[in-house]
Amino acid sequence: MKKWFMAFLTMILILSSLTVVLADNGNGKGKGKKKKFELGVEVLLDDKKELIEGKRVGLITNPTGVDQDLNSIVDILHNDPDVELTALYGPEHGVRGSAQAGEYVEYYIDEKTGLPVYSLYGQTKKPTPEMLDNIDVLLFDIQDVGTRFYTYIYTMAYAMEAAKENDIPFIVLDRPNPQGGTKVEGPVLDMKYSSFVGNYQIPLRHGMTVGELAELFNEEFEIGADLTVVKMNGWKRNMYYDDTRLPFVMPSPNMPTLETALVYPGAALIEGTNVSEGRGTTKPFELIGAPFINADELAGHLNSLNLPGVIFRAASFTPSFSKHAGQLSHGIQIHVTDREAFKPVETGIHIVKAIHDMYPEDFEFRAENSDGISFFDNLMGNGWVREAIEEGKNVDEISSKWQKELKQFNKTRKEYLLY
């Protein structure tokens, strides 16, 4: 009888454990259990709702402003009886992500919610007092991609300035850096080359979350906003985006996958030249080419360099828009084979230098403006890298020159790491 009773108790314990596991469903969503990983938006709604409860909320977001079940923060807040969502603000590409790069989105009324939508890209990058007239708190929830020239972090910074000037608290809902939070690479911006694709002295690959950047911007560059960062739960610095098991929502029309984000810090330097960066294809920034390039020749040369964590495939493509639209172009596809070893910025400079050296009659940097600054310089954050390429210097010489300022940035960066 005793053996039977012990067996019965064991079976009950096994079934109870199985019930908990099934309820949890692998995501930590069982009743009464904390999720293993939580985005800033989920922490806000679960634990810190008092920050927005009973207040008129202005929301800066785009299609990436979702929870793990892909529910839009716009819809969540609009349908919450405890929150009064009164205005929406869209960065480049708009709140619904429908605008192409560089396309201005005018003021309009959101069809789904009936809320006013103000553009923070183009003519008005910084919210005006009139745009902030009907709010008590300003909320920012947008996925960044970990690269200095991605414009959303400057939309955030300008909005922080406006919040400070209008005595409005500013809340950042933190999200992962898709490239992880340990690798820092590239030159620190020279403020002579500041623009909307680089407005602060940070390197090309900064290794910080958007919340950490907000803290750094606020203190180091003296914005002085009443800032609150709602941290994630369960994110670690060595985690790439797919380590979180979050679905990847396109942050912008030409950032379709995590693979795009991984190559972006270097591959996007091609935007500063007359070579296609793959816009108008299904693999933007992974495909690079032009009608005047010999694909096999370029791929062969780049592979002979034995760059860490990457190989190059000879590729041909015809962009449907942007540079060389409708023209058969030849070049490479970038394939990352080892994320930890891969150095996207140095790889990007190797690609630019190779095309510059191999096709001198056809390759061009984008034209300089009246101040003698090319768009390549704006992306690079200085003018000396372009000069070094034109002078025939090798990439090791170029990368060694930015190490001193990068080391100093890393010291400052440590003070603002939240994870």
Side-chain angles (χ1 to χ4, degrees):
M1 185 73 175
K2 188 175 181 181
K3 288 183 179 179
W4 177 88
F5 183 72
M6 292 300 295
F8 176 76
L9 281 178
T10 301
M11 183 61 71
I12 291 294
L13 288 171
I14 291 171
L15 288 172
S16 297
S17 299
L18 182 61
T19 301
V20 169
V21 170
L22 289 172
D24 182 61
N25 198 30
N27 291 312
K29 294 183 180 179
K31 187 176 180 181
K33 287 178 69 68
K34 278 280 185 185
K35 297 176 185 176
K36 294 176 183 177
F37 173 82
E38 285 186 301
L39 292 162
V41 60
E42 294 167 323
V43 175
L44 174 78
L45 297 171
D46 290 345
D47 300 322
K48 298 182 180 293
K49 200 174 176 184
E50 70 276 4
L51 292 171
I52 58 172
E53 212 162 19
K55 297 176 182 177
R56 297 172 300 172
V57 177
L59 175 62
I60 305 167
T61 194
N62 71 356
T64 64
V66 293
D67 64 14
Q68 293 186 60
D69 297 320
L70 300 182
N71 298 305
S72 168
I73 185 174
V74 175
D75 299 333
I76 292 170
L77 296 185
H78 180 65
N79 295 324
D80 191 324
D82 299 324
V83 179
E84 186 181 357
L85 185 61
T86 56
L88 302 175
Y89 306 84
E92 183 177 5
H93 310 294
V95 167
R96 301 293 182 184
S98 56
Q100 265 297 344
E103 184 179 334
Y104 176 63
V105 180
E106 294 184 4
Y107 168 88
Y108 65 98
I109 299 296
D110 182 58
E111 289 184 7
K112 193 169 183 180
T113 62
L115 294 171
V117 181
Y118 300 98
S119 173
L120 299 182
Y121 181 76
Q123 298 173 18
T124 308
K125 294 182 175 69
K126 182 176 178 179
T128 64
E130 292 74 22
M131 291 180 182
L132 302 174
D133 186 50
N134 194 34
I135 68 168
D136 301 312
V137 62
L138 197 51
L139 200 60
F140 182 93
D141 189 20
I142 294 177
Q143 178 64 57
D144 184 41
V145 299
T147 305
R148 185 182 64 217
F149 41 63
Y150 209 54
T151 62
Y152 297 155
I153 57 176
Y154 307 115
T155 295
M156 176 181 72
Y158 279 128
M160 287 167 62
E161 289 180 4
K164 163 67 175 176
E165 292 163 5
N166 292 274
D167 296 318
I168 296 172
F170 194 90
I171 302 172
V172 176
L173 306 182
D174 213 4
R175 290 183 173 272
N177 184 327
Q179 302 179 42
T182 61
K183 302 295 173 59
V184 181
E185 188 190 2
V188 173
L189 177 83
D190 178 342
M191 287 301 288
K192 294 177 184 176
Y193 296 85
S194 64
S195 69
F196 200 53
V197 290
N199 208 23
Y200 293 108
Q201 292 159 296
I202 61 175
L204 276 180
R205 188 185 187 191
H206 50 69
M208 302 179 77
T209 69
V210 70
E212 291 170 338
L213 282 175
E215 296 274 14
L216 184 145
F217 291 169
N218 204 41
E219 295 298 321
E220 294 297 317
F221 305 110
E222 300 180 345
I223 295 175
D226 179 4
L227 173 67
T228 300
V229 175
V230 179
K231 293 172 56 178
M232 297 173 281
N233 280 332
W235 187 76
K236 296 180 175 59
R237 303 212 71 81
N238 64 349
M239 293 172 73
Y240 288 85
Y241 195 88
D242 49 4
D243 291 325
T244 68
R245 299 190 178 182
L246 290 170
F248 189 88
V249 178
M250 294 192 301
S252 56
N254 293 293
M255 190 64 61
T257 67
L258 172 59
E259 287 68 28
T260 320
L262 293 178
V263 302
Y264 184 69
L269 295 173
I270 290 291
E271 290 194 78
T273 76
N274 65 338
V275 176
S276 169
E277 65 278 3
R279 290 183 189 272
T281 76
T282 58
K283 293 287 184 181
F285 304 107
E286 292 179 67
L287 287 171
I288 289 171
F292 57 81
I293 291 174
N294 181 306
D296 291 324
E297 185 179 55
L298 179 60
H301 170 73
L302 289 170
N303 283 325
S304 73
L305 300 175
N306 294 314
L307 301 179
V310 63
I311 57 176
F312 304 91
R313 180 183 68 85
S316 296
F317 56 92
T318 303
S320 60
F321 63 87
S322 194
K323 283 182 274 186
H324 307 303
Q327 292 182 272
L328 180 61
S329 296
H330 312 284
I332 54 166
Q333 182 175 353
I334 305 169
H335 293 269
V336 178
T337 57
D338 183 343
R339 295 176 183 178
E340 288 300 303
F342 179 54
K343 297 181 178 180
V345 178
E346 287 189 23
T347 299
I349 295 174
H350 272 291
I351 294 170
V352 173
K353 176 176 168 55
I355 301 173
H356 170 277
D357 293 351
M358 295 169 73
Y359 308 99
E361 299 300 318
D362 299 293
F363 174 87
E364 294 176 356
F365 286 105
R366 294 262 291 269
E368 297 177 358
N369 62 20
S370 57
D371 296 321
I373 296 174
S374 164
F375 186 58
F376 181 86
D377 303 336
N378 288 132
L379 294 170
M380 201 75 244
N382 60 63
W384 63 261
V385 170
R386 176 167 62 106
E387 291 175 1
I389 292 171
E390 292 174 332
E391 291 168 4
K393 292 183 179 178
N394 64 48
V395 178
D396 286 342
E397 289 179 275
I398 293 171
S399 64
S400 66
K401 188 173 177 178
W402 69 56
Q403 296 305 322
K404 183 178 179 181
E405 289 186 343
L406 188 62
K407 186 177 180 180
Q408 182 58 48
F409 171 79
N410 274 324
K411 289 181 181 178
T412 302
R413 171 181 174 271
K414 284 181 182 178
E415 300 175 25
Y416 298 98
L417 300 184
L418 301 174
Y419 308 91

